[in-house]
Amino acid sequence: MNKDPIQLDPWGTAQIDDYEKLFELFGIQPLKVVMNDIPHPHRHIRRGVMFGHRDLELVIKAVSGNTPFAVMSGIKPTGEFHLGSKMTAEELIFFQSLSEKAAAFYCMADLEAYADNGIPLEESARIAVSNLADLLALGLEPKKTYVYKQSEETRVMNLSFIFSRSVTQNMLRAIYGERNFGLYLSALVQAGDILMPQTKDFGGPKPVVVPVGADQDPHIRLCRDLARRHQTEYGFLLPSATYHKLTRSLSGSLKMSKRDPMSLLTLNDDPAIAEKKISNALTGGRETVELQRKIGGEPEKCVVYELGMFHFIEDDAYVQRIYDECVSGKRICGDCKAEHASIVSDYLKNHQRRKKSFIDQAHSLLSNQ
Ligand code: SF4
């Protein structure tokens, strides 16, 4: 693993306390410098949840000049859609909504699900249908989207094979540490996923933005390096990326991960169970109600506040009110948890209703690739 004080591990569960350090350590650029040029910014952008980028100017220019660009993302189909997947999906949908010329690419990373989690392809195929129905229910526009399974997209395979000629084991070890060869291979396949939208079959070189959680930056760095090495053959533009903060588990300790089902919320949780999970979540409350009334709570430490701010409350003024009431001692954790639990429960009921209506479409999109 690299020797930087912050270890970014795309397959791990590391927590990042100071996102600003990533600017200096890895050359990620602060998003606030360009955010005023982004039309109708998503709540992740408005609230600093999306905090960094690489070369987003290319995409902003394509939006304002009404020229083609792509947004690329994917999911490892290993289980239900959790809040980390929801963040990336919403950002994909946001970029897709910015222009009629925006094409979305969404990869069902079944090979990575096998390499990292041992999920057989037949099983991940079933999970992928459910994941895609979630994505459609969140607002993906299928007419402007290319969805595919990694294992069935030969163009991705071919690219990754070509890229493998310019990658040594030392390079991969320096970026990812000592990993099994399947993970190294899936990193190369992922570079194929990100660069495929720029190949001839999809209209040739164009800006492509990949919205990711901050821990995925090693994949972006490898892919940009490969784009540079293969620029002469393909004319690739270096892919752009945006970075969001990681969603913590409900216990507050790690990023929300499918590896720890009891501490994660998924879009398919039974709403009553989700409410129970929230009632046990970590807060930034004080030892006693009296003390909280006197000195206020700490929303920055509070997972419940984060749920509303990152994921479930669209209204900025409402989020600000929760913050102000918390720090002033006007708001007490028990009531606040119940308020958030009810918001989340309503959201889940509505989402699950919508999702049901998209299952058939998800099926046919994945079988007609
Ligand atoms: Fe979190 Fe609400 Fe308690 Fe404040 S009052 S610490 S926002 S649960």
Side-chain angles (χ1 to χ4, degrees), residues 283-285 292 297-299 302 304-305 322 326 331-333 336-337 340:
T283 71
Q292 185 145 338
E298 297 179 281
C302 178
V304 177
Y305 175 71
I322 292 170
C326 176
R331 183 173 275 266
I332 293 306
C333 294
C336 187
K337 279 180 169 179
H340 280 82

Side-chain angles (χ1 to χ4, degrees), residues 9 11-15 253-255 257 259:
D9 177 359
W11 298 293
T13 50
Q15 193 173 327
S253 53
L254 302 165
K255 83 172 179 183
S257 158
R259 294 167 208 265

